[in-house]
């Protein structure tokens, strides 16, 4: 039976509020009642849409993965044959990939979402399969001529991602140092240039 007061915006409101609360307090630091109070909804709506707290948490992961995957698919064919590209073409592709991810992180998602993603990387509570990350592993493995499970490949991907998301992830710290309230186009340009230098040094 559908709960009273439910509407098409209820589910997205629950996801938005839950993302913020989980990002700030972690899974164990948030109760269903707190989420409902913040979202101004009846507790029965959580059961109606998600079933429970764990399922809600997984739904946030699935939603983030879906949004990221749909975005990356606009400029990447996950099944492309990387062996057909020269090393230079692969590096150019990697730089373009990084630039697109900068656009995603700095213009298309909130700090709450990024912080949630960061927290989730610290545990294995939810099931995660991110095609965009899997492809990045594949790309790095191809450039380095190693297996995707090789430690050098995995750590290189991690360092690459950190070059992109660190300023945003630690925005309160980085913006305070720069005496700014938000990232500007000039800031993003600097991040892009730093990424280009990083790629050059990594694969020189």
């Amino acid at each position: 039976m559908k709960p009273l007061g439910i509407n098409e915006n209820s589910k997205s409101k629950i996801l938005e509020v839950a993302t913020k609360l989980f990002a700030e307090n972690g899974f164990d630091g948030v109760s269903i009642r707190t989420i409902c109070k913040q979202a101004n909804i009846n507790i029965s709506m959580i059961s109606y849409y998600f079933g429970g707290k764990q399922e809600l948490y997984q739904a946030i992961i699935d939603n983030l993965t879906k949004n990221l995957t749909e975005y990356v698919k606009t400029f990447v064919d996950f099944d492309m044959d990387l062996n057909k590209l020269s090393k230079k073409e692969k590096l150019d592709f990697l730089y373009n990939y990084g630039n697109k991810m900068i656009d995603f992180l700095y213009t298309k998602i909130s700090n709450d979402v990024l912080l949630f993603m960061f927290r989730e990387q610290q545990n294995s509570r939810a099931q995660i399969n991110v095609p965009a990350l899997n492809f990045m592993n594949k790309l790095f493995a191809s450039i380095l001529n190693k297996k995707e499970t090789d430690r050098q490949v995995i750590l290189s991907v991690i360092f690459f991602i950190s070059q992109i998301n660190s300023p945003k992830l630690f925005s309160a710290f980085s913006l305070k140092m720069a005496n700014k309230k938000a990232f500007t186009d000039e800031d993003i340009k600097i991040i892009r240039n730093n990424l280009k230098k990083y790629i050059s040094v990594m694969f020189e």
Side-chain angles (χ1 to χ4, degrees), residues 163-177:
Q163 291 295 310
I164 296 172
N165 67 20
S166 291
K168 179 77 179 282
L169 187 60
F170 301 104
S171 58
F173 175 69
S174 54
L175 290 173
K176 184 176 181 180
M177 286 188 67

Side-chain angles (χ1 to χ4, degrees), residues 23-87:
E24 293 175 346
N25 306 289
F27 182 85
D28 294 327
V30 179
S31 68
I32 289 295
R33 290 188 179 279
T34 301
I35 294 172
C36 292
K37 182 177 180 181
Q38 291 284 330
N40 195 28
I41 60 166
N42 189 287
I43 197 169
S44 61
M45 291 186 183
I46 300 291
S47 298
Y48 177 77
Y49 279 124
F50 306 103
K53 182 178 171 182
Q54 177 61 50
E55 291 81 3
L56 171 57
Y57 192 88
Q58 182 66 51
I60 296 173
I61 295 293
D62 293 343
N63 190 54
L64 294 177
T65 301
K66 177 176 177 289
N67 290 339
L68 176 60
T69 301
E70 289 179 351
Y71 172 73
V72 174
K73 277 185 175 179
T74 63
F75 59 90
V76 169
D77 175 5
F78 292 136
D79 297 321
M80 68 183 295
D81 186 357
L82 294 171
N83 292 324
K84 293 182 178 180
L85 302 180
S86 67
K87 184 174 181 179

Side-chain angles (χ1 to χ4, degrees), residues 49-175:
Y49 279 124
F50 306 103
K53 182 178 171 182
Q54 177 61 50
E55 291 81 3
L56 171 57
Y57 192 88
Q58 182 66 51
I60 296 173
I61 295 293
D62 293 343
N63 190 54
L64 294 177
T65 301
K66 177 176 177 289
N67 290 339
L68 176 60
T69 301
E70 289 179 351
Y71 172 73
V72 174
K73 277 185 175 179
T74 63
F75 59 90
V76 169
D77 175 5
F78 292 136
D79 297 321
M80 68 183 295
D81 186 357
L82 294 171
N83 292 324
K84 293 182 178 180
L85 302 180
S86 67
K87 184 174 181 179
K88 182 182 183 305
E89 289 173 328
K90 292 175 186 177
L91 293 178
D92 289 341
F93 187 87
L94 178 62
Y95 178 61
N96 180 63
Y97 192 108
N99 268 317
K100 294 291 188 179
M101 293 309 298
I102 289 172
D103 290 336
F104 181 77
L105 291 174
Y106 288 83
T107 66
K108 300 182 185 300
I109 66 172
S110 67
N111 285 345
D112 291 333
V113 171
L114 187 60
L115 182 56
F116 179 92
M117 292 167 64
F118 178 74
R119 271 188 177 274
E120 177 50 36
Q121 292 171 7
Q122 311 308 308
N123 64 69
S124 57
R125 184 181 303 281
Q127 297 178 3
I128 305 176
N129 180 26
V130 185
L133 181 58
N134 296 338
F135 178 82
M136 193 177 296
N137 275 11
K138 177 182 174 182
L139 177 57
F140 269 79
S142 179
I143 294 172
L144 294 169
N145 196 28
K146 294 180 179 293
K147 294 182 178 180
E148 293 179 42
T149 55
D150 189 275
R151 292 298 295 170
Q152 184 178 350
V153 171
I154 295 171
L155 291 175
S156 293
V157 170
I158 292 173
F159 274 96
F160 179 79
I161 293 172
S162 71
Q163 291 295 310
I164 296 172
N165 67 20
S166 291
K168 179 77 179 282
L169 187 60
F170 301 104
S171 58
F173 175 69
S174 54
L175 290 173

